[in-house]
């Protein structure tokens, strides 16, 4: 997916860009509203992440101004919750908002919800051998069969899909699947992998156990 | 009204006092003038009567003669039923009439001049008029004095009558004046009341200056009121801006720390390092969450002080709040099952959303994966119930009321991030709406059942 991040704090911007890149997303960064306008005039994005406090104005005013022109969904990054915010971001036309600091899996879940709500104009399919996986829609297709996956299955399969050919340890999977406040054991990973295995049986892929190390996805060449 | 009392009442009282003084004054003037007028009329008639008698004086064979004309007395009878006395005397000799009538005192009257005097006769006050004429008797001019007197009780009855009528008129005048004063006080205070009404009609956050035409006397009040509101608005804006700025400044670096820790977690392989990084992330979440809840709590208290009420459709609000939390629930494969009947209440939608959000957040947070949280909106008599039921561990055996205390967390929160303010905020919001928060463990099976109770509009 292609993101535009509008955020004036350079450290945070760098961290967000790098973090999203780890999940295979392309991110352009604008440090001000003016820069954001420039990016928007030359490129198109699947989603805009917009900070509210920017050096050349309030992100929400920008939203109100440009809502008619820009169709790209916007998720506002705010430091305040809704009660303490004088002007709600959602009233100004944002699709959703997330408070800083945020959990990237939550950000991803929210992006997914927003894009799905918007009618999924941005398709972002990943080829897994003979099968095609759409993490946004949560579907896996193989020779005309389409499988609807559940949230956790989507995320687990996405992790495997983005690391094809690599061995992923249980602990790596744990970090990408659960938020850090949940006390989940590595046994849970075994349960989820087992479940996903059964779900995708016959879809042209396989999740192999590499004894003592972790798991790896095996795809059949198309 | 308290304190210095009502301006309206004071104004009315003052005007009534003035009216009373004027009434008394006019009454006493009317009484005095009427008494004078009656006395003068009596004097004039007495003088006319005495002069008429004096004109009949003539001399006949050296003797002074006179006729008492009937008209001289009849005109006295015309003014009142008072008794009439007379005496005609030449020097010391009484020619006719009541010889014990007191003779006029004072300076010897000039010839032809009428002299008045007041005296006592047969236990009554009388008014006397005397006139002296020279009559030629026996070649000699003899001064003859004619005195006509009348008692005064009749005329004083007349003046008492007049005075009584004047008193009635004065009292009527006074009452009418008091009525008008009250009306005048009310009309002149109306602009003040209108200003007060237009201020109190405003919403709690409406600090725009008052724009209405006020009488010149009220202009300074309006001006300082508007200045005060301006300053108030400015200081509220300033502190809101400050809070926004502070939150932004604190949370942005925290977001950086969290993102960097997540990145580091992907690249390190050592389990101890990983555990440390997870601890960092948890600590960041903990502190940002506490800061957020503290700020929310403060804002809720401030907003519940003066609620901005508007009609809220709870079915719609519940739908929106649940939709906002859907992605969070989906991360744990928790299904949010919403069923709502339309229900209208009067409330602050932002606060109600926040109360529900805190309750739902708990249900999602404390429930295990792949469970269901049900949200029901039902109306019972004159109440609306929003019931949130989960399949989590329940609230334990301790006293449930304690969980709504500030910073109070359950005994068994299993390292789940929280600040202990969620239920406190929810309860504060509901109490401010004349509602309540009901906590109970689910009957039959484990789980929690939290009900937000609100009165119907
Ligand atoms: N749905 C729930 N299931 C289990 N326990 C709950 C639930 N809701 C609240 N609690 C208990 O009530 C306590 C107070 O809740 P709250 O005020 O929201 O604080 P916090 O969630 O931040 O700990 C929690 O610590 C928890 O022990
Ligand atoms: Mg809570």
């Amino acid at each position: 997916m292609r993101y535009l991040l509008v955020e004036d704090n350079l450290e945070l911007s760098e961290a967000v860009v790098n973090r999203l890149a780890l999940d295979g997303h392309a991110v352009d960064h604008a440090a001000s509203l003016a820069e954001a306008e420039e990016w928007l005039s030359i490129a198109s994005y699947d989603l805009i992440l917009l900070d509210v406090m920017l050096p050349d104005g309030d992100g929400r005013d920008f939203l109100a101004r440009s809502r008619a022109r820009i169709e790209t969904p916007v998720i506002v990054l705010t430091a305040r919750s809704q009660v303490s915010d004088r002007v709600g971001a959602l009233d100004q036309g944002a699709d959703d908002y997330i408070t800083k600091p945020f959990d990237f899996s939550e950000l991803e879940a929210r992006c997914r919800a927003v894009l799905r709500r918007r009618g999924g104009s941005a398709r972002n399919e990943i080829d897994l051998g003979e099968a095609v996986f759409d993490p946004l829609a949560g579907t896996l297709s193989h020779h005309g069969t389409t499988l609807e996956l559940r949230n956790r299955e989507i995320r687990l399969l996405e992790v495997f899909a983005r690391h094809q050919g690599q061995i992923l340890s249980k602990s790596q999977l744990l970090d990408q699947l659960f938020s850090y406040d949940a006390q989940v054991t590595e046994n849970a990973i075994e349960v989820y992998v087992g479940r996903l295995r059964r779900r995708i049986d016959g879809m042209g892929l396989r999740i192999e156990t590499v004894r003592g190390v972790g798991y790896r996805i095996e795809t059949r060449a198309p | 009204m308290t304190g210095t009392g009502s301006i309206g009442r004071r104004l009315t009282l003052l005007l009534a006092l003035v009216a009373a003084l004027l009434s008394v004054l006019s009454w006493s003037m009317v009484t005095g003038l009427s008494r004078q007028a009656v006395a003068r009329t009596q004097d004039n008639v007495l003088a006319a009567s005495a002069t008429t008698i004096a004109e009949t004086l003539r001399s006949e064979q050296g003797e002074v003669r006179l006729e008492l004309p009937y008209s001289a007395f009849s005109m006295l009878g015309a003014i009142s039923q008072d008794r009439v006395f007379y005496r005609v005397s030449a020097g010391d000799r009484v020619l006719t009439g009541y010889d014990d009538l007191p003779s006029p005192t004072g300076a010897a009257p000039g010839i032809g001049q009428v002299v008045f005097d007041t005296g006592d006769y047969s236990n009554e006050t009388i008014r006397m008029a005397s006139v002296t004429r020279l009559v030629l008797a026996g070649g000699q001019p003899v001064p003859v004095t004619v005195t006509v007197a009348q008692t005064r009780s009749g005329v004083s009855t007349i003046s008492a009558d007049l005075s009584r009528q004047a008193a009635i008129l004065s009292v009527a005048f006074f009452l009418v004046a008091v009525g008008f004063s009250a009306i005048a006080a009310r009309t002149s205070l109306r602009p003040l009341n209108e200003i007060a009404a237009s201020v109190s009609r405003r919403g709690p956050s409406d600090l725009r200056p008052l724009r209405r035409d006020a009488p010149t006397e009220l202009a300074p009040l309006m001006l300082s009121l508007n200045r005060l509101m301006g300053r108030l608005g400015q200081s509220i804006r300033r502190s809101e801006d400050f809070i926004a700025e502070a939150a932004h400044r604190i949370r942005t670096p925290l977001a950086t720390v969290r993102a960097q820790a997540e990145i580091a977690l992907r690249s390190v392989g050592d389990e101890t390092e990983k555990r440390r990084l997870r601890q960092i992330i948890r600590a960041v979440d903990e502190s940002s969450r506490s800061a957020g809840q503290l700020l929310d709590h403060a804002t809720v208290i401030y907003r519940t002080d003066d609620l901005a009420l508007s009609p809220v459709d709870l079915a719609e609000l519940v739908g929106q709040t649940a939709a906002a939390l859907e992605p969070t629930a989906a991360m744990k494969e928790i299904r949010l099952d919403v069923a709502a009947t339309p229900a209208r209440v009067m409330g602050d939608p932002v606060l109600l959303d926040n109360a529900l959000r805190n309750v739902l957040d708990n249900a999602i947070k404390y429930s295990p994966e792949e469970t269901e949280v049900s949200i029901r909106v039902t109306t019972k008599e004159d109440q609306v119930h929003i019931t949130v039921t989960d399949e989590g561990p329940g609230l334990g055996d301790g006293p449930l009321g304690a969980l709504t205390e500030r910073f109070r967390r359950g005994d068994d929160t299993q390292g789940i991030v929280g600040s202990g303010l969620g239920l406190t905020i929810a309860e504060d919001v509901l109490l401010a709406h004349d509602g309540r928060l009901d906590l109970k463990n689910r009957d039959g099976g484990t789980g929690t059942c939290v009900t937000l109770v609100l009165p119907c509009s």
Side-chain angles (χ1 to χ4, degrees):
Chain A
M1 282 217 322
R2 189 155 186 179
Y3 286 88
L4 175 64
L5 170 69
V6 190
E7 161 68 61
D8 62 328
N9 184 291
L10 291 182
E11 282 95 33
L12 178 60
S13 305
E14 193 195 320
V16 172
V17 169
N18 290 339
R19 174 63 185 78
L20 288 173
L22 283 182
D23 286 339
H25 302 297
V27 188
D28 286 326
H29 169 236
S32 64
L33 293 178
E35 250 179 75
E37 296 270 12
E38 273 173 45
W39 280 113
L40 284 168
S41 66
I42 54 171
S44 69
Y45 297 93
D46 297 320
L47 206 118
I48 301 173
L49 297 176
L50 178 67
D51 182 26
V52 282
M53 285 193 165
L54 291 159
D56 53 350
D58 192 314
R60 289 166 305 197
D61 296 341
F62 169 77
L63 206 59
R65 270 206 315 275
S66 52
R67 210 69 197 103
R69 274 186 299 126
I70 300 163
E71 289 200 347
T72 318
V74 177
I75 294 183
V76 162
L77 307 178
T78 165
R80 314 178 70 183
S81 71
Q82 240 191 341
V83 248
S84 52
D85 207 344
R86 212 176 336 133
V87 197
L90 298 185
D91 300 335
Q92 301 275 17
D95 292 86
D96 203 349
Y97 72 98
I98 190 161
T99 35
K100 292 181 195 175
F102 43 86
D103 182 343
F104 278 86
S105 27
E106 191 188 336
L107 177 64
E108 201 137 294
R110 293 203 168 267
C111 292
R112 211 178 290 141
V114 164
L115 292 172
R116 216 175 288 157
R117 207 157 56 224
R118 282 299 200 95
S121 61
R123 293 207 89 72
N124 128 278
E125 295 173 339
I126 305 171
D127 290 330
L128 292 171
E130 292 174 347
V132 176
F133 172 50
D134 184 340
L136 207 57
T139 54
L140 182 68
S141 317
H142 180 251
H143 295 317
T145 346
T146 302
L147 193 64
E148 297 260 350
L149 297 173
R150 295 168 64 184
N151 200 281
R152 184 88 65 197
E153 295 165 346
I154 301 169
R155 280 160 61 209
L156 187 56
L157 187 56
E158 191 178 3
V159 177
F160 280 120
R162 297 207 184 280
H163 300 87
Q164 290 180 51
Q166 288 177 33
I167 302 170
L168 295 164
S169 72
K170 285 180 191 168
S171 133
Q172 269 173 313
L173 291 173
L174 193 98
D175 289 332
Q176 301 202 30
L177 238 54
F178 297 96
S179 54
Y180 304 90
D181 57 4
Q183 299 278 298
V184 195
T185 58
E186 297 190 352
N187 288 342
I189 296 293
E190 280 171 31
V191 172
Y192 280 109
V193 171
R195 237 188 246 173
L196 181 63
R197 230 179 226 154
R198 283 196 294 280
R199 285 279 282 158
I200 63 175
D201 192 31
M203 299 298 286
L205 11 129
R206 219 151 50 81
I207 298 169
E208 262 183 31
T209 309
V210 184
R211 200 161 297 280
V213 190
Y215 304 95
R216 182 174 52 198
I217 195 161
E218 290 284 323
T219 58
R220 215 174 297 150
Chain B
M1 285 208 188
T2 54
T4 50
S6 145
I7 294 186
R9 206 173 310 141
R10 265 198 287 170
L11 205 59
T12 313
L13 215 66
L14 202 70
L15 289 174
L17 203 70
V18 170
L21 277 176
L22 283 177
S23 302
V24 169
L25 203 70
S26 76
W27 168 77
S28 65
M29 265 165 63
V30 168
T31 307
L33 283 176
S34 66
R35 193 174 294 139
Q36 260 178 39
V38 170
R40 198 170 305 139
T41 311
Q42 189 182 33
D43 281 0
N44 287 345
V45 177
L46 282 172
S49 167
T51 316
T52 313
I53 295 171
E55 265 161 11
T56 63
L57 290 173
R58 62 197 142 72
S59 80
E60 229 170 68
Q61 295 140 16
E63 287 287 304
V64 177
R65 300 260 166 178
L66 81 160
E67 278 164 34
L68 290 174
Y70 172 71
S71 65
F73 298 107
S74 72
M75 59 175 126
L76 281 167
I79 50 167
S80 72
Q81 296 302 309
D82 278 312
R83 288 191 288 151
V84 178
F85 311 98
Y86 70 95
R87 181 182 61 201
V88 181
S89 54
D92 295 334
R93 194 165 50 92
V94 176
L95 298 180
T96 176
Y98 304 78
D99 43 11
D100 49 352
L101 208 60
S103 22
T105 52
I111 302 301
Q113 255 181 326
V114 182
V115 178
F116 298 100
D117 195 11
T118 311
D120 285 318
Y121 183 64
S122 62
N123 302 326
E124 274 191 88
T125 313
I126 50 166
R127 182 71 174 164
M128 299 177 285
S130 309
V131 68
T132 305
R133 234 190 107 191
L134 288 179
V135 179
L136 279 174
Q140 273 223 350
V142 180
V144 180
T145 304
V146 178
T147 302
V148 181
Q150 194 176 25
T151 56
R152 310 202 72 171
S153 62
V155 293
S156 36
T157 314
I158 292 175
S159 41
D161 260 2
L162 284 174
S163 157
R164 197 164 46 245
Q165 273 163 28
I168 291 170
L169 276 178
S170 297
V171 168
F173 164 78
F174 170 73
L175 291 178
V176 170
V178 167
F180 277 122
S181 308
I183 292 172
R186 196 159 328 136
T187 357
S188 48
L189 287 178
R190 190 177 302 144
L192 205 59
N193 292 334
E194 279 170 359
I195 291 173
S198 80
V199 171
S200 60
R201 258 201 310 276
R202 289 176 163 222
S205 50
D206 185 356
L207 291 172
R208 283 170 304 150
L210 290 166
R211 298 238 177 280
R212 55 177 15 260
D213 299 324
T216 28
E217 290 84 351
L218 291 183
L221 177 68
M222 294 276 283
L223 199 68
S224 33
L225 206 58
N226 281 342
R227 275 207 201 117
L228 178 67
M229 293 217 279
R231 279 204 303 273
L232 198 61
Q234 212 171 34
S235 93
I236 288 176
R237 261 195 308 284
R238 210 177 292 144
S239 56
E240 279 182 353
D241 286 348
F242 174 78
I243 290 173
E245 185 74 31
H248 182 77
R249 299 250 165 189
I250 293 166
R251 286 171 161 246
T252 302
L254 279 179
T256 311
V257 172
R258 200 188 194 286
Q260 294 290 14
E262 277 198 35
I263 294 168
L265 202 53
R266 290 284 181 92
S267 55
V268 301
D270 182 40
E271 261 319 305
T272 358
E273 296 285 314
K274 283 194 166 200
R275 211 176 48 244
R276 285 199 189 118
L277 286 167
R278 285 197 199 107
Q279 275 168 0
I280 291 178
I281 291 176
R282 279 181 51 84
V284 167
D285 284 351
E286 188 101 43
S287 66
S288 71
R289 204 189 161 79
S290 298
Q293 291 282 75
L294 279 170
L295 185 59
D296 277 4
H297 189 227
T299 316
V300 164
I301 287 176
Y302 154 76
R303 283 183 74 136
T304 50
D305 270 354
D306 206 349
L307 275 186
L309 294 176
S310 58
V312 181
D313 181 1
L314 280 186
E316 199 184 318
L317 182 128
V318 166
Q320 281 168 0
T321 310
L325 286 168
E326 181 78 49
T328 318
M331 285 173 67
K332 287 181 76 177
E333 301 287 0
I334 289 175
R335 215 172 75 78
L336 297 184
D337 179 41
V338 184
T341 51
R344 281 195 164 274
V345 297
M346 288 302 288
D348 181 331
V350 176
L351 292 184
L352 291 174
D353 167 78
N354 195 253
L356 179 60
R357 205 174 271 259
N358 276 300
V359 171
L360 274 180
D361 177 66
N362 283 345
I364 295 169
K365 195 163 69 167
Y366 295 111
S367 288
E369 307 240 325
E370 294 178 38
T371 52
E372 187 176 283
V373 171
S374 92
I375 307 151
R376 297 277 176 274
V377 181
T378 48
T379 39
K380 287 208 181 77
E381 286 151 29
D382 52 351
Q383 287 181 332
V384 189
H385 289 202
I386 306 174
T387 312
V388 177
T389 315
D390 63 45
E391 296 166 359
L395 297 167
D397 308 323
L400 298 184
L403 293 175
T404 56
E405 284 169 16
R406 276 206 282 171
F407 305 113
R408 176 70 68 128
R409 303 204 64 203
D411 300 326
D412 191 20
T413 43
Q414 298 169 347
I416 294 167
V417 171
S419 58
L421 281 171
L423 292 181
T424 316
I425 293 175
E427 185 170 55
D428 282 351
V429 169
L430 287 162
L431 290 180
H433 284 84
D434 298 323
R436 61 171 202 277
L437 185 73
D438 278 351
L439 301 175
K440 65 178 168 87
N441 284 309
R442 215 169 138 174
D443 356 285
T446 68
T448 306
C449 179
V450 180
T451 308
L452 294 81
V453 182
L454 285 161
C456 278
S457 69

